Amino acid sequence: MTTTPHLALHTLREGHGLPVLLVHGFPLDHRMWEDAAAALPSGITVLAVDLPGLGESPLGGEPPSIEAAADAVVDAARAAGIERAVVVGMSMGGYVALAAAERHADFVVALGLVDTKSTADDDAARANRLRIADAVSESRTVDAVLGMPGALLGATSKVARRGLTARLEEWIRSQRPDGVAWAQRAMAARPDRTQVLARFAGPVAVVVGEEDTLTPIEAAEHLVAAAPGATLVVVPAAGHMSAVEDAPAVANAIGDLWAVARD
Ligand code: MLT
């Protein structure tokens, strides 16, 4: 396995004390967290990473894996002088956050799991990811994932927050095809990490958009059932992109997690 050079780590808010480290979903980058970071209480240091091959980060090594992505996130933070953090991941970012909790328990003080799940793919989902990865690699375009905003946004946002579809499309269009393919292959290879939650010693906050159809409320309830003492926040009128669709609600949940972790 080759390692990933340092990932891009963006400071979204300057603060002090225990930092919050935000990990984005697929096929996006740190920009999806800008609104939530702005809505967090002042005084908290808020960082957001770009996962391998996405945003401003270099492509990951081979073979693609969520474990390599998690190691690279923690390496980037440590290189920036951060030894512990509240790690918050959205969807694919949640897979990475869980892998980080498993592999770097000393680094992950608290876990925020936003519109994500701990289970692995079934055979059909895995095959679909590999098909998309091949299509993106062969065409050298992100065309195969350009339609994703339709699935990412909740029913309410598609009607009431019309600008969001274009915003998501712009973020997706700006990604590197090889980075999109790497991420799909990494997600296809990931194991079930439900047991990581049972062993995790720190506080856990689970957040889900009420209208999330990709990782629905049942997936969030599965996370909560696995993690002793975890809290569940259901964001009304939001889908899989609750962190963008209702950034203040998600920021509120992250702020509460940070306050518990800091004590
Ligand atoms: C995401 O939002 O990161 C994706 O829905 C994750 C996935 O494809 O499993």
Side-chain angles (χ1 to χ4, degrees), residues 138-198:
E138 281 159 24
S139 69
R140 297 186 191 178
T141 72
V142 295
D143 289 355
V145 291
L146 268 186
M148 278 191 70
L152 294 172
L153 294 171
T156 302
S157 291
K158 279 187 251 183
V159 175
R161 303 175 180 114
R162 287 191 170 270
L164 285 186
T165 299
R167 197 171 175 207
L168 291 183
E169 270 171 12
E170 186 192 326
W171 290 341
I172 295 171
R173 218 180 271 284
S174 68
Q175 304 305 329
R176 296 167 50 165
D178 54 1
V180 170
W182 194 97
Q184 277 290 31
R185 294 190 176 111
M187 287 192 283
R190 78 189 194 285
D192 188 313
R193 286 207 158 83
T194 306
Q195 286 313 308
V196 173
L197 283 169

Side-chain angles (χ1 to χ4, degrees), residues 14-20 43-47 82 84-86 258 262:
E14 303 271 4
H16 47 79
L18 186 63
V20 171
I44 306 179
T45 301
V46 185
L47 304 150
I82 295 155
R84 301 158 76 241
V86 174
W258 179 84
R262 176 195 55 167

Side-chain angles (χ1 to χ4, degrees), residues 24-27 90-93 95 115 117 121 129 148 152 184 187 190 214 240-241:
H24 62 82
F26 172 87
M90 180 262 161
S91 200
M92 175 174 69
Y95 312 156
D115 294 293
K117 61 188 175 195
D121 290 342
R129 285 194 197 283
M148 278 191 70
L152 294 172
Q184 277 290 31
M187 287 192 283
R190 78 189 194 285
L214 296 180
H240 192 59
M241 295 302 305

Side-chain angles (χ1 to χ4, degrees), residues 170-253:
E170 186 192 326
W171 290 341
I172 295 171
R173 218 180 271 284
S174 68
Q175 304 305 329
R176 296 167 50 165
D178 54 1
V180 170
W182 194 97
Q184 277 290 31
R185 294 190 176 111
M187 287 192 283
R190 78 189 194 285
D192 188 313
R193 286 207 158 83
T194 306
Q195 286 313 308
V196 173
L197 283 169
R199 291 192 299 269
F200 185 68
V204 176
V206 177
V207 180
V208 63
E210 182 185 32
E211 300 171 0
D212 186 346
T213 54
L214 296 180
T215 49
I217 291 181
E218 296 74 44
E221 287 170 345
H222 177 78
L223 295 171
V224 171
T231 58
L232 174 63
V233 173
V234 178
V235 183
H240 192 59
M241 295 302 305
S242 65
V244 176
E245 293 169 75
D246 190 348
V250 174
N252 199 37

Side-chain angles (χ1 to χ4, degrees), residues 9-22 40 43-48 77-78 80-88 107-111 254 257-259 261-262:
L9 191 61
H10 305 267
T11 303
L12 301 186
R13 293 278 294 270
E14 303 271 4
H16 47 79
L18 186 63
V20 171
L21 174 56
L22 303 169
L40 275 164
I44 306 179
T45 301
V46 185
L47 304 150
R78 287 195 170 129
I82 295 155
E83 293 302 328
R84 301 158 76 241
V86 174
V87 179
V88 179
F107 181 86
V108 182
V109 175
L111 262 179
I254 296 171
L257 176 68
W258 179 84
R262 176 195 55 167

